[in-house]
Amino acid sequence: MFKHKHPYKPFIQNDTKKLIVGTLPPPRFSTGELLEKDVNFCYGSYYNSLWLFIDKIHNLNLRYDNSQEAIAQRKQFLIKNKIGVCDIVESAEREKIDASDLGMQNIKLRDIIGYLKQYPNIDTLLFTGGNSKNGPEYFFRKHIRDYNIKLELVSNEIPRIHQFKLPAKLSTSTLLSTGVVDSSSRIIKTVSLTSGSGAANISISRIPLYKQLKAKNPKFNTFDFRVMQYREFF
């Protein structure tokens, strides 16, 4: 079994307002065998495309290589826009060394709720994937059960939006034993963005809105659809 450990610590500042939450980068980021266009930073896989979407939205002219400058460009954008990154999976084991979420076993999750308590300015979680098995929203739902927290549906349109109350005083044992939520709770919004992976292209092609836009403009593609979707949140 391959022990797949997350290679990056959470990237969060004191004034961070939005937190990008995924699962794990491809195994090559843990083994250090990067490809020519990979960037040694969160979402650095050129084929994941998150930074390509952000680059398109903000015209950042980012570098796509193993340089320190490429890393600095991305950090600068995140800091300026008060966005952080904290993937929910700390480690997992794999029989096959690939980036498939479904291939993860013996998964150890990070304490996202703990980070939300530590950084009180965070009000939005941006999941880079939905509630499919072993996706970021799926794991988050599993994680918050320990705190007796539930997601409330705000919008069922893609990307789906939920919210939940984060008690000011949070104790796992107290919540589980009493079910009491502190009255001074703060509201955290979650947005389940369409994954940047190639595997998500099939699901995008089935979305009615995509079909409508594609019919109006045959050149419109899944990359354009994600850029349109991500623009509101980045």
Side-chain angles (χ1 to χ4, degrees), residues 188-206:
I188 306 293
K189 179 172 74 173
T190 73
V191 182
S192 298
L193 298 165
T194 301
S195 170
S197 69
N201 289 338
I202 296 176
S203 62
I204 291 176
S205 67
R206 296 170 179 161

Side-chain angles (χ1 to χ4, degrees), residues 117-179:
K117 297 296 292 183
Q118 185 177 347
Y119 296 95
N121 289 308
I122 298 173
D123 58 22
T124 304
L125 301 181
L126 301 175
F127 296 132
T128 57
N131 193 33
S132 57
K133 186 176 180 181
N134 287 7
E137 182 191 327
Y138 174 89
F139 283 133
F140 185 73
R141 286 177 178 274
K142 182 178 180 180
H143 169 54
I144 60 177
R145 288 186 205 133
D146 293 337
Y147 293 96
N148 200 30
I149 295 174
K150 294 181 179 179
L151 294 182
E152 302 172 11
L153 182 65
V154 174
S155 172
N156 202 32
E157 298 294 324
I158 295 174
R160 291 183 178 85
I161 297 175
H162 295 81
Q163 68 179 21
F164 64 93
K165 294 180 180 180
L166 181 71
K169 296 179 181 179
L170 194 59
S171 167
T172 305
S173 58
T174 300
L175 283 171
L176 288 176
S177 61
T178 66

